[in-house]
Amino acid sequence: MTPKVAVRDLRVAYRTRTGRHLALDGADLSIGHGEFVALVGPSGCGKSTLLKVVAGLVERSGGDALIDGKPIDGPSAGVGMLFQNDALLPWRTVHENIRLPLQVAGGNRAEQDVRIRDLITTVGLDGFADYLPRQLSGGMRKRVALARTLAADPDLFLMDEPFGPLDALTRRRIGAEFLSLWETLGTSVLFVTHDVDEAITLADRVVVMSPAPGRVLTEFPVPLHRPRDVRELRFTPSFRDLHDAISDALVAPSEIA
Amino acid sequence: MTESLSLRTARGAHRAGPVPGDDDTRQPSDAGSALLEQDQREANRFRRTVLVGRIAVAVVVLGAWQLASGRLVSEFFVSSPSEIVGRLVQLVGTGQLWPHLTQTLIEVGAGLLIGVPLGVALGVALGMSALLSGWLLPYVMALYSLPRVALAPLFIVWFGIGLLSKITMVVTMVLFVIFYNVYQGVRNIDQDLFDVARSFRANRWQTVRWIMLPSLVPWLVTALRLSIGIALIGAVIAELIAASSGLGYYIKLSSNLLDVTGVFAGLAVITAVAIVLDQALGYVERRVMRHHPEKQH
């Protein structure tokens, strides 16, 4: 069976003023159907670039990148992105922000409205439909962005440190909420983060990248059963062992260098 | 389950959190409201003082002009406020003013109607395409730095002394202001918003319509406000050079007849038009900005 996402020997070079900067040099990654993969690595290692290649937003300089066995050429249908910056349209209300992907797809406005109201309930924002993004807290804006991504009905989520800018408490809560939502959806996820705790809590598999130019160093399956109780999880011995192992793997290459 | 983690049930917990716009927890107190009233009184007093002073300046300047005219300086050269008001009343009363006023307003209006969309299109096109801006930007900037007033004689040769040469003049004046603001606006749009649109597979037109144009609204309103004054300048200058009607033409005609009162009357009307248009757009600006959280000052 072809994996949902397959990346082989991926190279990405950016042209800069001083020459070419190699962001990725021979990265390999595979994501199965319905699998939740977290990508961790030091900052600047190219993990966001890898995600953007899969999203079809960055062109590759070499290697292969496939979704459902087909080479990626621009943004694919059925791929939903969640950005670090929530990237909401500041002049649109919550309701109208969520409309954006539905608007692109076209179709009946009244049907869109029904779907939007549904999504607003799903992410717990009832009563805030007519608020503008600037009137919402960071956590609430993140929920709007999530609802907007859900509106496109993706079967692959690409999330680039999506909960990064939130405070620790909100971040954990939204992460847990996303996890329980995802457990009902069964979509594939590529989740970029530099937070090892977050990676283990959410993912089936944690992939560790080297410092730039990025390659995949090693990976760790997460042997924790689902559904997960996020609060209990972090106190179990297996969580701690895994956390230590991943942290060691992250630190190791920089010690050599 | 000790803690509900589902998105649906988290709603209640969320409601208990801070309600947007309700983060002011201060309670009103008598001392506070007394202070507030005092603040308000002081603010009102300041506004009154400003207004009285402003009127006083006008009275003093116009009064000095009125008194000096015919005594210190010959009325032939400086006319006088009373003469000018009399002329304005006469121009309005006899209906002589209207052809000139409407001519100028038509030139300004038509120039804006053509120049603004053209400027927006050019700004969006060059802002979006590195190749196009690479090709065209140096030439656009060269034309921009050319004193476009100097083009007026050329337009009169090309398009005659009628409406067309005036509209062309206004378009060239307005085009660059709009272009430059829109171009800067496009380059200032958050790249993430474009990535969002692309990731949803929005086509080029959808991206322009739903991401770009709304992002440009504040820039456009500012540019429009600048353009109105500039359009008026363009129209009047072209009329001064060669025309058969318009406020600029009236000023030039009066000047040729050594009728200083007429010149001042024309200037007064132009000033009034500029103030009315600027106020109208200021009103629009405030209304648009209220719905547009970007770039609020």
Side-chain angles (χ1 to χ4, degrees):
Chain A
M1 191 168 146
T2 52
K4 183 69 196 169
V5 176
V7 172
R8 280 188 297 264
D9 197 25
L10 178 66
R11 284 164 49 89
V12 174
Y14 287 115
R15 217 187 299 264
T16 62
R17 243 164 300 176
T18 51
R20 284 165 82 80
H21 165 71
L22 207 54
L24 290 171
D25 190 14
D28 297 280
L29 179 74
S30 159
I31 302 172
H33 287 271
E35 192 183 19
F36 197 132
V37 173
L39 196 57
V40 298
S43 39
C45 74
K47 52 192 192 293
S48 292
T49 305
L50 177 49
L51 180 132
K52 283 192 170 169
V53 168
V54 179
L57 297 175
V58 166
E59 274 181 42
R60 52 188 185 278
S61 322
D64 294 318
L66 310 125
I67 292 179
D68 292 323
K70 285 190 283 286
I72 295 165
D73 179 25
S76 327
V79 173
M81 268 204 86
L82 208 58
F83 296 80
Q84 180 171 18
N85 161 343
D86 41 59
L88 299 173
L89 308 185
W91 54 88
R92 287 198 182 194
T93 61
V94 168
H95 189 93
E96 292 306 311
N97 259 293
I98 299 171
R99 191 192 298 281
L100 186 67
L102 303 173
Q103 240 174 339
V104 173
N108 182 312
R109 270 184 82 87
E111 279 169 26
Q112 291 177 2
D113 286 331
V114 173
R115 175 114 171 83
I116 294 164
R117 277 194 286 273
D118 231 38
L119 286 163
I120 287 177
T121 305
T122 306
V123 297
L125 283 178
D126 282 306
F128 292 103
D130 296 326
Y131 281 68
L132 288 169
R134 73 183 145 104
Q135 298 171 300
L136 303 175
S137 68
M140 293 162 91
R141 282 201 296 274
K142 200 53 80 179
R143 289 160 193 270
V144 180
L146 180 59
R148 181 176 66 180
T149 305
L150 287 171
D153 219 357
D155 49 26
L156 172 63
F157 275 105
L158 301 174
M159 307 173 80
D160 188 1
E161 298 191 35
F163 311 134
L166 302 175
D167 66 82
L169 224 65
T170 313
R171 176 179 187 157
R172 204 174 299 167
R173 192 166 76 189
I174 298 243
E177 286 179 16
F178 175 71
L179 189 63
S180 55
L181 178 70
W182 172 76
E183 277 163 357
T184 67
L185 293 172
T187 52
S188 314
V189 181
L190 177 58
F191 191 101
V192 166
T193 179
H194 55 249
D195 182 338
V196 176
D197 269 13
E198 192 176 49
I200 301 173
T201 305
L202 299 174
D204 296 316
R205 192 153 51 93
V206 177
V207 174
V208 179
M209 284 182 72
S210 72
R215 280 174 301 109
V216 169
L217 280 181
T218 177
E219 56 177 60
F220 298 86
V222 180
L224 302 167
H225 62 88
R226 297 187 187 276
R228 293 180 183 170
D229 184 339
V230 171
R231 289 201 321 161
E232 301 296 320
L233 214 57
R234 60 187 66 240
F235 302 111
T236 61
S238 55
F239 185 97
R240 267 196 310 248
D241 292 346
L242 195 55
H243 189 282
D244 290 345
I246 295 172
S247 302
D248 286 349
L250 274 170
V251 171
S254 55
E255 274 176 352
I256 298 162
Chain B
M1 200 156 126
T2 46
E3 185 188 36
S4 162
L5 292 172
S6 89
L7 282 156
R8 264 167 217 281
T9 43
R11 197 170 65 219
H14 209 89
R15 277 224 182 105
V19 173
D22 197 19
D23 49 357
D24 191 348
T25 52
R26 285 169 298 177
Q27 294 297 310
S29 69
D30 289 346
S33 56
L35 273 174
L36 198 70
E37 267 171 42
Q38 197 188 337
D39 277 356
Q40 229 142 32
R41 271 201 304 277
E42 271 168 25
N44 283 338
R45 198 177 311 141
F46 180 74
R47 265 199 296 274
R48 260 201 310 280
T49 313
V50 167
L51 193 65
V52 169
R54 200 174 279 173
I55 293 166
V57 169
V59 169
V60 168
V61 170
L62 292 175
W65 185 357
Q66 184 72 41
L67 287 176
S69 165
R71 294 184 178 84
L72 294 175
V73 195
S74 160
E75 200 162 72
F76 175 79
F77 290 115
V78 296
S79 184
S80 73
S82 60
E83 286 270 332
I84 295 163
V85 170
R87 176 66 63 87
L88 285 172
V89 169
Q90 179 210 329
L91 282 174
V92 172
T94 58
Q96 270 174 287
L97 179 65
W98 306 128
H100 297 305
L101 182 60
T102 49
Q103 174 80 8
T104 301
L105 286 179
I106 287 169
E107 290 160 11
V108 168
L112 286 171
L113 277 177
I114 298 167
V116 171
L118 223 56
V120 172
L122 200 63
V124 168
L126 266 65
M128 276 178 88
S129 160
L131 196 60
L132 265 187
S133 70
W135 286 342
L136 298 178
L137 199 60
Y139 301 111
V140 175
M141 294 321 281
L143 285 175
Y144 185 43
S145 51
L146 177 78
R148 269 145 297 141
V149 172
L151 293 175
L154 192 61
F155 293 150
I156 285 159
V157 172
W158 285 348
F159 305 118
I161 62 163
L163 205 54
L164 194 56
S165 60
K166 311 302 179 298
I167 293 173
T168 311
M169 188 65 210
V170 174
V171 169
T172 59
M173 297 287 279
V174 164
L175 180 65
F176 292 97
V177 179
I178 299 282
F179 160 76
Y180 199 67
N181 271 278
V182 169
Y183 178 73
Q184 290 297 338
V186 170
R187 294 167 64 89
N188 261 281
I189 298 173
D190 185 357
Q191 183 59 40
D192 278 355
L193 296 186
F194 286 127
D195 276 352
V196 166
R198 274 184 68 199
S199 78
F200 290 135
R201 293 152 56 86
N203 62 34
R204 201 162 257 251
W205 165 237
Q206 288 170 330
T207 307
V208 168
R209 194 167 139 212
W210 293 329
I211 310 287
M212 187 173 287
L213 291 181
S215 298
L216 292 177
V217 165
W219 297 82
L220 209 60
V221 173
T222 308
L224 214 55
R225 199 161 182 185
L226 288 171
S227 310
I228 284 185
I230 290 168
L232 203 56
I233 293 172
V236 170
I237 284 174
E239 287 168 359
L240 285 173
I241 289 172
S244 51
S245 69
L247 295 171
Y249 167 77
Y250 179 77
I251 288 172
K252 193 186 175 203
L253 182 70
S254 306
S255 147
N256 287 347
L257 299 172
L258 303 178
D259 171 15
V260 175
T261 305
V263 173
F264 276 116
L267 291 175
V269 175
I270 291 170
T271 308
V273 169
I275 289 171
V276 168
L277 291 179
D278 188 62
Q279 291 291 316
L281 213 77
Y283 174 76
V284 172
E285 189 174 358
R286 281 191 298 279
R287 294 221 36 181
V288 169
M289 292 309 186
R290 212 182 309 152
H291 297 291
H292 208 292
E294 294 276 86
K295 218 180 154 191
Q296 262 177 352
H297 306 296

